[in-house]
Amino acid sequence: GAFYQFWRETFWMAPSTAEHTQIGQMSLCGEEHLRSALSRGKGVILWETNSFGSRVLARRVLYAHGNALHQVHARTHLGSGFVVDARQWNWAARWLSRFFEACEMEFLAEIIYLPSSDSLAFTRVLLDRLKRNSTICSAGDGNQGQLLIGVPFLGVEKVFSTGMISLARTSGATIVPVFCVRENNANIKVIVEPPIDVGSSAGRKASLIDGVSQYATLLERYCRMY
């Protein structure tokens, strides 16, 4: 199943003319959550998942509905959620990186790469985009960052990055989860969920744990359902 999904994602990077038409007809549910968040004028952090469903299709469908996405990727990211170890980043990885970047730019406004170092300079770029009321797209179940928090997930502990929650608290941006699923009738549906609450918990640490727990619970529900 993982092998099949990997190659499905890869082929969706460069769809045929017929598949482009199909993408434009795919269902987008809950778009009002995204529109409502943007109406606040402080930007949106769209939390996709890199381990469940289709990231590529979710973003293509959102683009087809007029949404400009500023994508956050690890520097060593390749298409289909594949990450190459920095020690093995050679000419082939660079070539593939440029190829997949060109594919993604068909449905993205921008790609913002996270540095391989511990530098936080890139956060200024993210804050700038949010001040412009842009939509930043990032993996909600990512595990890269300076502060990781482990929470229960499907009976074990899974670690999640907290960087985007901190960014939302600093900027006032809204975090909105998005999922792309295949229904029993083979129809593909993109679902925009209501926002994650990152501001009601007292204290920064409690807010980070609460935000991560909300997302982990939501992701687990989708995994069990599909």
Side-chain angles (χ1 to χ4, degrees), residues 34 44 46 48 55-56 58-63 66-72 104-105 107-112 134-138 178:
L34 179 56
V44 171
L46 195 66
E48 59 182 352
R55 296 179 72 179
V56 175
R59 289 175 289 161
R60 280 196 175 276
V61 171
L62 285 161
Y63 174 79
N67 296 282
L69 305 179
H70 298 255
Q71 182 68 44
V72 177
E104 285 193 281
M105 286 307 297
F107 53 90
L108 297 175
E110 176 186 25
I111 298 177
I112 302 168
S134 300
T135 301
I136 291 176
C137 192
S138 177
V178 61

Side-chain angles (χ1 to χ4, degrees), residues 3-81:
F3 180 85
Y4 176 83
Q5 181 64 23
F6 173 84
W7 286 107
R8 286 289 296 173
E9 281 288 88
T10 300
F11 293 137
W12 279 121
M13 283 292 226
S16 65
T17 302
E19 287 171 333
H20 269 295
T21 302
Q22 182 185 356
I23 289 169
Q25 298 172 346
M26 289 179 183
S27 176
L28 177 58
C29 304
E31 189 177 10
E32 66 274 10
H33 299 307
L34 179 56
R35 297 294 172 213
S36 175
L38 286 170
S39 70
R40 297 178 65 247
K42 295 186 177 182
V44 171
I45 298 172
L46 195 66
W47 259 1
E48 59 182 352
T49 166
N50 61 14
S51 58
F52 172 82
S54 175
R55 296 179 72 179
V56 175
L57 272 180
R59 289 175 289 161
R60 280 196 175 276
V61 171
L62 285 161
Y63 174 79
H65 282 76
N67 296 282
L69 305 179
H70 298 255
Q71 182 68 44
V72 177
H73 278 325
R75 171 54 65 182
T76 53
H77 169 88
L78 296 179
S80 309

Side-chain angles (χ1 to χ4, degrees), residues 53 62 67 82-83 89 93 98 101 141 151 177 179:
L62 285 161
N67 296 282
F82 187 55
V83 177
W89 193 259
R98 288 193 293 268
E101 182 179 88
D141 53 350
V151 296
F179 295 91

